[in-house]
Amino acid sequence: MKTLLSLFCLVTYLTCALSANGWPVSLDMACDKALSAVACSFEFTNNANEDLYLLKRNTPLEGLYSQFVSVSLDGRPLEYEGIYIYRLPPTKDEFALLKAGESISASVQITDAFSINTDGLYTVQYSRPLQYLSVNEMNAMFIDQLKDSSACESVHIYLEGTDLFSRPKEQKVELDYTVYIESCTAANFNGSRDNDNTLEAHKRLCAGIDKAKGGVGNNNLYVTWFGAYTAARANTVKDLYGKMRTGLGSKTVTYYNNGPKCKDHPNAIAYTYKSYSQTVVYLCDYFYKEPIACKGTSYTKERTLLHEWAHAFAARDDEGYGPDKCKGFAKSDPAKAIRNADNFSYHYCESQ
């Protein structure tokens, strides 16, 4: 028993030999209990013989604004309860210049995004590749040529007294007015900014989702966005569209103008939280500049809203963005494509 307790109390670091495997950017992480929270620190090191620009987006270098770690208790995964931000492609100010041999670090409280309320042995694992550009690529603004550096660091930590830990919090919403809509129940608005156009995009969603769901089958459109057809995967896609349709048709949803977190992310379009019951989408500056209706793979209000409700009503993740990345998921990993909100937004719009 003493040996077992000693094992539980030991924090074990499992590190991939990234530099030995040729990855140019390596990661070291550690997690510790800090009062009523669990804080994790992350250090990124440039192992290459040249300077690199490391993308801060989807890493702790920008704070806890995406799911870059997964957390499990005795092998059972915990649900991520943090924010999902839908954004334009990154610009130079979202990169950190990491000179050859240098490191950069950041820390976050994972209890801000995961409910840790049971004592036991937890595993915190880094779950996203690190993305970077060379100096020449950055100077040429080849943002669409981001390279990936694998990061597979994880930490085991035994936690006690978890009933005292803080819990994830969402923004409180005060409503200004409600608009009732035939077939799509009702929409609340917090604030007033281009609300007529937002409402027009919202009204298109219910019939649009029915059309997209009805078009799911063994066809080119399905294969393009969700990969090789199988009846089981197609039924999953239909079921997830059904969850979005039911959510919009049975719940009063809210559009929060000028979301409070938008100011911290200049390239943000909108954001929400992943849930089967979340009913608020927060809108940012770029959303108001988008045209209303779907137009291929372009950024539009209709596609943005579908993307956000895929998080809120179908609990989809952000595995990646953009048509090329989403088509790549469909081709190489159909299960990932079905987990990804942006794949649904493209399939939806090209179904219309």
Side-chain angles (χ1 to χ4, degrees):
M1 179 63 71
K2 183 176 180 180
T3 302
L4 182 60
L5 289 173
S6 297
L7 177 63
F8 277 163
C9 292
L10 178 66
V11 179
T12 305
Y13 304 98
L14 304 176
T15 309
C16 295
L18 298 178
S19 57
N21 289 333
W23 301 117
V25 183
S26 63
L27 166 67
D28 287 309
M29 61 180 284
C31 296
D32 294 289
K33 180 180 176 181
L35 297 177
S36 61
V38 178
C40 293
S41 60
F42 305 83
E43 183 177 74
F44 305 93
T45 300
N46 180 0
N47 299 306
N49 57 6
E50 63 174 329
D51 298 346
L52 298 174
Y53 279 92
L54 179 63
L55 182 62
K56 294 183 286 186
R57 180 186 294 189
N58 299 323
T59 79
L61 295 174
E62 68 164 0
L64 192 47
Y65 289 105
S66 62
Q67 186 179 0
F68 48 78
V69 294
S70 59
V71 181
S72 59
L73 169 61
D74 298 327
R76 300 186 301 275
L78 275 61
E79 189 71 33
Y80 173 72
E81 300 175 49
I83 190 173
Y84 281 92
I85 303 179
Y86 189 39
R87 309 185 239 198
L88 294 172
T91 50
K92 187 174 182 178
D93 61 332
E94 291 187 73
F95 290 79
L97 177 60
L98 198 56
K99 293 186 177 295
E102 287 190 351
S103 300
I104 188 172
S105 60
S107 62
V108 298
Q109 292 187 170
I110 62 170
T111 37
D112 289 343
F114 295 91
S115 291
I116 297 177
N117 51 23
T118 302
D119 291 1
L121 182 64
Y122 286 81
T123 300
V124 183
Q125 181 166 1
Y126 204 89
S127 55
R128 276 186 179 270
L130 307 176
Q131 296 187 297
Y132 67 94
L133 290 171
S134 69
V135 172
N136 288 338
E137 288 166 338
M138 177 60 78
N139 290 339
M141 292 304 292
F142 289 154
I143 302 296
D144 59 343
Q145 296 184 17
L146 279 167
K147 299 180 179 68
D148 289 350
S149 183
S150 180
C152 49
E153 174 95 349
S154 62
V155 170
H156 295 313
I157 180 171
Y158 187 81
L159 295 172
E160 295 180 306
T162 55
D163 57 317
L164 301 177
F165 284 3
S166 58
R167 302 286 181 259
K169 296 178 182 179
E170 295 180 13
Q171 180 74 35
K172 291 184 178 180
V173 177
E174 296 179 1
L175 305 177
D176 289 347
Y177 61 91
T178 301
V179 177
Y180 292 91
I181 307 161
E182 186 178 352
S183 94
C184 272
T185 186
N188 292 317
F189 286 89
N190 176 272
S192 180
R193 183 175 178 185
D194 202 27
N195 289 349
D196 288 345
N197 286 336
T198 300
L199 189 60
E200 182 61 32
H202 173 86
K203 288 178 180 178
R204 303 174 68 89
L205 292 178
C206 283
I209 290 172
D210 287 340
K211 186 173 183 179
K213 180 181 176 181
V216 172
N218 192 4
N219 52 54
N220 288 336
L221 183 61
Y222 176 91
V223 172
T224 297
W225 299 112
F226 296 119
Y229 176 85
T230 68
R233 285 200 291 260
N235 286 336
T236 297
V237 172
K238 288 180 181 179
D239 178 66
L240 293 166
Y241 271 130
K243 291 181 186 297
M244 290 183 242
R245 179 64 175 83
T246 298
L248 287 168
S250 63
K251 298 177 181 179
T252 302
V253 302
T254 297
Y255 293 111
Y256 191 122
N257 287 299
N258 306 313
K261 297 185 185 299
C262 294
K263 61 182 180 297
D264 298 325
H265 303 275
N267 287 331
I269 301 171
Y271 65 90
T272 191
Y273 296 81
K274 173 180 155 186
S275 170
Y276 286 109
S277 59
Q278 169 70 17
T279 59
V280 183
V281 167
Y282 303 83
L283 306 176
C284 302
D285 280 346
Y286 277 105
F287 176 82
Y288 307 106
K289 301 174 185 178
E290 295 177 331
I292 295 172
C294 283
K295 186 178 180 181
T297 59
S298 299
Y299 288 99
T300 67
K301 288 182 172 65
E302 186 177 4
R303 188 167 76 79
T304 293
L305 296 185
L306 191 283
H307 178 109
E308 296 307 294
W309 294 125
H311 288 311
F313 290 142
R316 297 301 86 193
D317 295 319
D318 274 341
E319 299 283 352
Y321 302 98
D324 292 340
K325 179 73 76 173
C326 291
K327 288 177 180 177
F329 291 156
K331 187 174 182 179
S332 64
D333 191 346
K336 180 177 283 189
I338 293 172
R339 289 198 305 269
N340 191 41
D342 227 19
N343 282 72
F344 277 88
S345 78
Y346 288 119
H347 178 268
Y348 168 90
C349 274
E350 293 209 325
S351 299
Q352 303 310 302

